[in-house]
Amino acid sequence: MTEPRDHPFVAAVKPLVDAMGGELMDPSLAQPDDVVLAWEGQDLLAVRLPQLSDSLDHILAALERRHGVPLSQLDRKSKQDVVRILEARGAFSVRHGVETVAGALGVSRFTVYNYLNRDSNTPKGSTVTNQE
């Protein structure tokens, strides 16, 4: 049998675990909050999920990599798009999420709330022409 780290299932789930900011480990090291994944009836690996606050930092870093510049250097429209993505991913349910996002975007908390409110007050299919 191949080593677990060389197993095709591990190779398949690794990008997902990395995107979440999780950690792959041997199932024998799993703690109660870890997720043990089995393959054909045998425990193959365990995944340690990140703390929610760490997940937000990981998501922000991934968005920064995607844009190729610090999020604070994005234009207003791109920052609004980032806030929309973060809202869809639950970033604002994390304690101090708005403050963390505002810091990463280089804007005030008030601006982040305006971006959130603008999205919820904009009818589908229309565009907002207000400038901030």
Side-chain angles (χ1 to χ4, degrees):
M1 183 170 149
T2 60
E3 285 293 311
R5 67 179 177 275
D6 297 328
H7 196 281
F9 179 71
V10 175
V13 299
K14 187 174 181 345
L16 176 62
V17 173
D18 289 345
M20 295 183 322
E23 178 185 350
L24 294 175
M25 65 186 63
D26 188 277
S28 66
L29 302 174
Q31 296 177 356
D33 288 341
D34 296 334
V35 179
V36 176
L37 301 176
W39 181 263
E40 296 181 346
Q42 292 209 318
D43 292 345
L44 188 62
L45 71 138
V47 178
R48 179 158 298 150
L49 299 173
Q51 298 296 316
L52 285 177
S53 59
D54 294 338
S55 292
L56 179 53
D57 291 339
H58 193 78
I59 293 167
L60 288 167
L63 286 168
E64 200 165 270
R65 283 191 304 277
R66 181 187 305 170
H67 287 280
V69 296
L71 296 177
S72 61
Q73 293 180 10
L74 296 175
D75 61 31
R76 182 183 51 82
K77 170 79 171 86
S78 296
K79 288 180 181 182
Q80 289 172 336
D81 291 341
V82 166
V83 168
R84 194 172 303 115
I85 290 166
L86 292 169
E87 182 181 27
R89 296 191 64 186
F92 302 111
S93 62
V94 175
R95 185 172 185 198
H96 302 297
V98 171
E99 292 86 349
T100 301
V101 170
L105 293 176
V107 299
S108 68
R109 291 178 329 161
F110 180 76
T111 298
V112 172
Y113 284 119
N114 278 341
Y115 291 168
L116 290 167
N117 289 335
R118 182 171 291 138
D119 277 350
S120 65
N121 292 330
T122 302
K124 298 287 184 207
S126 69
T127 58
V128 175
T129 56
N130 256 356
Q131 297 292 319
E132 188 169 298

mmCIF file of all heavy atoms in Angstrom, residues 29 40 50 54-55 63 70 73-74 92 94 98-99 130:
data_model
loop_
_atom_site.group_PDB
_atom_site.id
_atom_site.type_symbol
_atom_site.label_atom_id
_atom_site.label_comp_id
_atom_site.label_asym_id
_atom_site.label_seq_id
_atom_site.Cartn_x
_atom_site.Cartn_y
_atom_site.Cartn_z
ATOM 1 N N LEU A 29 -3.065 11.198 15.332
ATOM 2 C CA LEU A 29 -2.811 12.448 16.048
ATOM 3 C C LEU A 29 -4.062 13.313 16.181
ATOM 4 O O LEU A 29 -4.003 14.400 16.757
ATOM 5 C CB LEU A 29 -1.717 13.260 15.319
ATOM 6 C CG LEU A 29 -0.375 12.564 15.140
ATOM 7 C CD1 LEU A 29 0.549 13.418 14.287
ATOM 8 C CD2 LEU A 29 0.245 12.263 16.493
ATOM 9 N N GLU A 40 -12.129 3.594 1.885
ATOM 10 C CA GLU A 40 -12.393 2.151 1.839
ATOM 11 C C GLU A 40 -12.314 1.519 3.222
ATOM 12 O O GLU A 40 -11.690 0.477 3.438
ATOM 13 C CB GLU A 40 -11.442 1.460 0.850
ATOM 14 C CG GLU A 40 -11.675 1.930 -0.572
ATOM 15 C CD GLU A 40 -10.775 1.257 -1.594
ATOM 16 O OE1 GLU A 40 -9.774 0.607 -1.207
ATOM 17 O OE2 GLU A 40 -11.079 1.387 -2.785
ATOM 18 N N PRO A 50 -9.087 25.317 10.816
ATOM 19 C CA PRO A 50 -8.567 26.507 11.481
ATOM 20 C C PRO A 50 -9.630 27.154 12.364
ATOM 21 O O PRO A 50 -10.827 26.898 12.206
ATOM 22 C CB PRO A 50 -8.219 27.429 10.313
ATOM 23 C CG PRO A 50 -9.192 27.035 9.248
ATOM 24 C CD PRO A 50 -9.378 25.543 9.412
ATOM 25 N N ASP A 54 -8.681 32.786 12.183
ATOM 26 C CA ASP A 54 -7.582 32.439 11.285
ATOM 27 C C ASP A 54 -8.093 32.241 9.865
ATOM 28 O O ASP A 54 -7.397 32.552 8.897
ATOM 29 C CB ASP A 54 -6.872 31.168 11.752
ATOM 30 C CG ASP A 54 -6.167 31.347 13.085
ATOM 31 O OD1 ASP A 54 -5.855 32.494 13.455
ATOM 32 O OD2 ASP A 54 -5.939 30.331 13.766
ATOM 33 N N SER A 55 -9.308 31.717 9.739
ATOM 34 C CA SER A 55 -9.895 31.512 8.420
ATOM 35 C C SER A 55 -10.075 32.845 7.702
ATOM 36 O O SER A 55 -9.806 32.944 6.506
ATOM 37 C CB SER A 55 -11.248 30.817 8.524
ATOM 38 O OG SER A 55 -11.095 29.505 8.965
ATOM 39 N N LEU A 63 -7.459 36.400 -1.285
ATOM 40 C CA LEU A 63 -8.006 37.455 -2.143
ATOM 41 C C LEU A 63 -6.897 38.406 -2.586
ATOM 42 O O LEU A 63 -6.881 38.868 -3.730
ATOM 43 C CB LEU A 63 -9.115 38.217 -1.420
ATOM 44 C CG LEU A 63 -10.430 37.461 -1.274
ATOM 45 C CD1 LEU A 63 -11.359 38.173 -0.291
ATOM 46 C CD2 LEU A 63 -11.104 37.313 -2.632
ATOM 47 N N PRO A 70 -1.843 44.459 -2.603
ATOM 48 C CA PRO A 70 -2.528 44.557 -1.307
ATOM 49 C C PRO A 70 -3.965 45.048 -1.510
ATOM 50 O O PRO A 70 -4.224 45.905 -2.368
ATOM 51 C CB PRO A 70 -1.687 45.590 -0.538
ATOM 52 C CG PRO A 70 -0.329 45.495 -1.158
ATOM 53 C CD PRO A 70 -0.588 45.212 -2.612
ATOM 54 N N GLN A 73 -4.880 48.677 -1.912
ATOM 55 C CA GLN A 73 -4.553 49.389 -3.147
ATOM 56 C C GLN A 73 -5.610 49.220 -4.234
ATOM 57 O O GLN A 73 -5.495 49.805 -5.314
ATOM 58 C CB GLN A 73 -3.196 48.930 -3.673
ATOM 59 C CG GLN A 73 -2.049 49.329 -2.782
ATOM 60 C CD GLN A 73 -0.706 48.862 -3.336
ATOM 61 O OE1 GLN A 73 -0.592 48.397 -4.468
ATOM 62 N NE2 GLN A 73 0.329 48.996 -2.512
ATOM 63 N N LEU A 74 -6.643 48.426 -3.955
ATOM 64 C CA LEU A 74 -7.701 48.226 -4.944
ATOM 65 C C LEU A 74 -8.541 49.479 -5.094
ATOM 66 O O LEU A 74 -8.650 50.296 -4.172
ATOM 67 C CB LEU A 74 -8.605 47.063 -4.518
ATOM 68 C CG LEU A 74 -7.969 45.683 -4.446
ATOM 69 C CD1 LEU A 74 -8.966 44.680 -3.890
ATOM 70 C CD2 LEU A 74 -7.455 45.249 -5.805
ATOM 71 N N PHE A 92 -18.342 38.239 8.084
ATOM 72 C CA PHE A 92 -18.828 39.231 9.035
ATOM 73 C C PHE A 92 -19.569 38.607 10.211
ATOM 74 O O PHE A 92 -20.071 39.314 11.079
ATOM 75 C CB PHE A 92 -19.658 40.290 8.308
ATOM 76 C CG PHE A 92 -18.844 40.960 7.228
ATOM 77 C CD1 PHE A 92 -19.121 40.750 5.895
ATOM 78 C CD2 PHE A 92 -17.759 41.753 7.554
ATOM 79 C CE1 PHE A 92 -18.353 41.340 4.909
ATOM 80 C CE2 PHE A 92 -16.974 42.353 6.574
ATOM 81 C CZ PHE A 92 -17.280 42.139 5.249
ATOM 82 N N VAL A 94 -17.804 36.559 12.055
ATOM 83 C CA VAL A 94 -16.663 36.386 12.945
ATOM 84 C C VAL A 94 -16.518 37.640 13.794
ATOM 85 O O VAL A 94 -16.666 38.759 13.292
ATOM 86 C CB VAL A 94 -15.371 36.163 12.118
ATOM 87 C CG1 VAL A 94 -14.148 36.092 13.007
ATOM 88 C CG2 VAL A 94 -15.492 34.911 11.274
ATOM 89 N N VAL A 98 -15.674 42.909 10.739
ATOM 90 C CA VAL A 98 -15.740 44.184 10.019
ATOM 91 C C VAL A 98 -14.446 44.964 10.221
ATOM 92 O O VAL A 98 -13.880 45.512 9.273
ATOM 93 C CB VAL A 98 -16.971 45.012 10.456
ATOM 94 C CG1 VAL A 98 -16.919 46.425 9.881
ATOM 95 C CG2 VAL A 98 -18.264 44.319 10.020
ATOM 96 N N GLU A 99 -13.956 44.995 11.455
ATOM 97 C CA GLU A 99 -12.719 45.717 11.739
ATOM 98 C C GLU A 99 -11.537 45.108 10.984
ATOM 99 O O GLU A 99 -10.697 45.825 10.439
ATOM 100 C CB GLU A 99 -12.420 45.721 13.248
ATOM 101 C CG GLU A 99 -13.387 46.544 14.064
ATOM 102 C CD GLU A 99 -14.650 45.779 14.477
ATOM 103 O OE1 GLU A 99 -14.895 44.667 13.959
ATOM 104 O OE2 GLU A 99 -15.401 46.315 15.304
ATOM 105 N N ASN A 130 -23.842 56.033 -6.761
ATOM 106 C CA ASN A 130 -23.302 56.825 -5.661
ATOM 107 C C ASN A 130 -21.808 56.622 -5.563
ATOM 108 O O ASN A 130 -21.327 55.517 -5.619
ATOM 109 C CB ASN A 130 -23.914 56.343 -4.331
ATOM 110 C CG ASN A 130 -24.969 57.271 -3.819
ATOM 111 O OD1 ASN A 130 -25.201 58.315 -4.403
ATOM 112 N ND2 ASN A 130 -25.606 56.886 -2.739
#
